[in-house]
Amino acid sequence: MASAAEQLASNLNFSAFAKAEDLKKRIWFTIGALLVYRLGTYIPLPGINPDAFAQAFSSQSKGVLGMFNMFAGGAVERMAIFALGIMPYISASIIMQLMTSVIPTLEALKKEGEQGRKVINQYTRYGTVLLALVQAYGIAVGLEGGNGIVSDPGMFFRISTVITLVGGTMFLMWLGEQITARGIGNGISLIIFSGIVAGLPQAISGTLELGRTGALSTGLILAIIVLAVVVIALIVFFERAQRRLLIQYPKRQVGNRMFQGDTSHLPLKLNTAGVIPPIFASSLLLLPATVAGFSQTTNMPAWASTVLAALGHGQPLYMAFYAAMIVFFAFFYTAIVFNPKDTADQLKKHSGFIPGYRPGERTADYIDYVLTRITVVGAIYLVLVCLLPEFLISATGVPFYLGGTSLLIVVSVTLDTVAQIQGHLIAHQYEGLIKKSKLRGGKKAR
């Protein structure tokens, strides 16, 4: 078995890929679906003055709208039919995960297996529609309040805007599910990934233009490239890092035969919370500046102006709050998505145990102890990755396109997609070996 696995690993090359017809179909389907998404980000809402909106957006590009615009692939900047993007679905999914830990009925559904997950997914879709309706109506009202953005304000514009934006979000949710089922990778993650990557060429050309005009030195640009490579390597290392707990299963007797006890491992990811802590932290920190910008009040109190200035990018108070909130959400979200007591109960149910610890409560305490320690390391890693661009912006004044959150998403989605491609190639190789062995068996029988 080991030699077969080694043979498969050595044969994962372009020739194996060329023979995997099902994999190629999945990749072409994924590319086609993402092209449809990118096309939708350029179709504007009806009744909008693009020039007036672009002028209004430029004043808010450094707030929450700028971050959402990056995740939506520029659809917010153009106020396209996909301006809401897939964020309502992500928000609804996070809310459902929180509710499954609080509401006993949902917690019981979660433990029912595939059928329970289908019900929870349906509730998530309902929540997506509700959040999209609220956000779309708020956008419609906000657009009407702009100076010359809407050509014909009124109830008809609001209704058409809500229908268009909610329909765009529901289409993206359906498209993401289709990519997951018929393509490669997680569809929702790939949609966000493509939106972020779509802005890279413009960002790179802008940086090179700054170098050509002398605003940035060649040495600084080269240092930024080297630093980006180092940070990407760091993210890859930490995202794949695991603490593996040894699990043993006792000997068992089936009839007159005695089977030896088996061993396995319980993998605990170093960064269990993923990209959720930076997203939550940055959204909450950018919210006050966005609200203040929309309010457009000239008689803002002095203390409010001082707080807003202190919470600007690169400011010490902003960085301190950013780091503290990342650490908080790292522990909070890890506690939501991973329950040591449930894991210990599952191990006890299948007669598994961690050597040196009794099944049940002692095992749960030990898993919680280990998880807490590695989450400390994971939280420090998230803080370093997310604060590094802020320090560089403050020190050099370079407008980095990829911040910590977006870089984490790009690298994580790439790793996941590559792993799925390798899985399909391995499955194809195994199928080929099985067919060859059957043919050889048939010839020997003759």
Side-chain angles (χ1 to χ4, degrees):
M1 189 70 180
S3 60
E6 293 173 0
Q7 179 183 357
L8 289 175
S10 63
N11 290 335
L12 290 179
N13 49 30
F14 288 105
S15 62
F17 175 79
K19 296 176 183 178
E21 295 296 331
D22 179 66
L23 177 60
K24 288 193 289 185
K25 290 179 181 178
R26 286 178 172 271
I27 291 176
W28 281 115
F29 179 86
T30 302
I31 294 174
L34 293 178
L35 286 176
V36 171
Y37 160 64
R38 291 303 304 156
L39 179 64
T41 61
Y42 287 89
I43 302 176
L45 283 174
I48 296 292
N49 184 344
D51 296 332
F53 178 77
Q55 184 178 0
F57 178 83
S58 61
S59 63
Q60 300 296 326
S61 59
K62 294 183 179 180
V64 175
L65 290 183
M67 186 182 69
F68 286 167
N69 181 58
M70 182 181 60
F71 289 155
V76 178
E77 183 180 8
R78 294 181 285 270
M79 194 42 65
I81 59 175
F82 291 158
L84 282 181
I86 207 67
M87 295 305 290
Y89 177 78
I90 296 175
S91 301
S93 301
I94 294 172
I95 291 172
M96 284 302 301
Q97 286 181 337
L98 295 175
M99 292 177 66
T100 52
S101 302
V102 177
I103 301 176
T105 306
L106 293 177
E107 187 176 3
L109 277 175
K110 184 179 179 181
K111 295 179 179 179
E112 288 182 5
E114 185 64 27
Q115 189 63 32
R117 280 193 293 270
K118 288 182 179 179
V119 176
I120 292 178
N121 288 338
Q122 194 63 28
Y123 289 160
T124 304
R125 295 188 184 98
Y126 295 150
T128 302
V129 175
L130 181 61
L131 289 176
L133 283 171
V134 174
Q135 293 178 15
Y137 185 78
I139 289 175
V141 174
L143 290 174
E144 287 184 340
N147 186 16
I149 296 177
V150 180
S151 57
D152 187 18
M155 188 55 63
F156 178 77
F157 170 78
R158 296 184 184 184
I159 293 174
S160 63
T161 300
V162 168
I163 293 175
T164 304
L165 291 179
V166 173
T169 295
M170 299 310 295
F171 176 79
L172 288 183
M173 184 176 66
W174 173 83
L175 191 66
E177 292 176 350
Q178 294 301 309
I179 294 174
T180 302
R182 302 170 59 185
I184 288 291
N186 183 286
I188 303 298
S189 299
L190 281 173
I191 288 175
I192 299 176
F193 169 86
S194 63
I196 295 173
V197 173
L200 274 178
Q202 183 179 357
I204 293 174
S205 63
T207 303
L208 294 178
E209 180 64 20
L210 290 175
R212 188 186 68 82
T213 57
L216 291 178
S217 64
T218 304
L220 180 59
I221 294 177
L222 292 176
I224 292 172
I225 294 174
V226 172
L227 184 62
V229 173
V230 172
V231 172
I232 290 173
L234 183 72
I235 293 174
V236 171
F237 174 78
F238 276 96
E239 289 298 319
R240 300 182 67 176
Q242 296 177 345
R243 170 67 189 277
R244 305 175 71 189
L245 301 181
L246 180 64
I247 305 297
Q248 288 188 348
Y249 295 91
K251 297 180 180 180
R252 56 192 179 92
Q253 184 173 358
V254 179
N256 295 326
R257 298 184 61 184
M258 178 67 72
F259 291 89
Q260 293 291 331
D262 196 10
T263 60
S264 64
H265 291 88
L266 174 65
L268 299 178
K269 286 192 64 177
L270 191 70
N271 180 26
T272 307
V275 298
I276 298 299
I279 291 177
F280 274 26
S282 56
S283 299
L284 290 177
L285 278 176
L286 292 174
L287 190 60
T290 305
V291 173
F294 273 123
S295 63
Q296 297 179 351
T297 55
T298 57
N299 55 348
M300 182 181 294
W303 65 267
S305 301
T306 305
V307 171
L308 287 175
L311 290 176
H313 277 290
Q315 298 300 319
L317 185 62
Y318 173 87
M319 294 184 184
F321 272 108
Y322 194 22
M325 294 174 74
I326 288 175
V327 173
F328 169 76
F329 283 117
F331 280 93
F332 178 77
Y333 197 72
T334 298
I336 294 298
V337 299
F338 191 93
N339 190 334
K341 187 176 184 303
D342 290 343
T343 304
D345 291 341
Q346 288 295 324
L347 289 175
K348 186 176 181 180
K349 181 179 178 181
H350 294 89
S351 301
F353 63 93
I354 298 177
Y357 298 91
R358 290 183 180 180
E361 186 177 349
R362 289 290 303 278
T363 298
D365 292 340
Y366 176 70
I367 295 175
D368 182 67
Y369 169 76
V370 174
L371 187 64
T372 301
R373 289 169 65 92
I374 64 174
T375 302
V376 171
V377 180
I380 294 174
Y381 143 72
L382 287 176
V383 169
L384 291 177
V385 170
C386 293
L387 284 188
L388 182 61
E390 299 294 335
F391 281 117
L392 292 177
I393 291 173
S394 177
T396 64
V398 179
F400 291 100
Y401 175 77
L402 282 181
T405 306
S406 54
L407 196 60
L408 280 171
I409 293 174
V410 169
V411 175
S412 300
V413 174
T414 302
L415 289 175
D416 179 62
T417 305
V418 170
Q420 289 205 24
I421 292 175
Q422 289 179 342
H424 280 281
L425 287 175
I426 290 175
H428 177 74
Q429 295 277 51
Y430 267 121
E431 289 176 2
L433 290 176
I434 291 173
K435 289 180 180 178
K436 288 180 180 180
S437 63
K438 286 183 178 179
L439 288 174
R440 289 174 184 172
K443 289 179 180 179
K444 290 181 180 180
R446 292 177 184 176

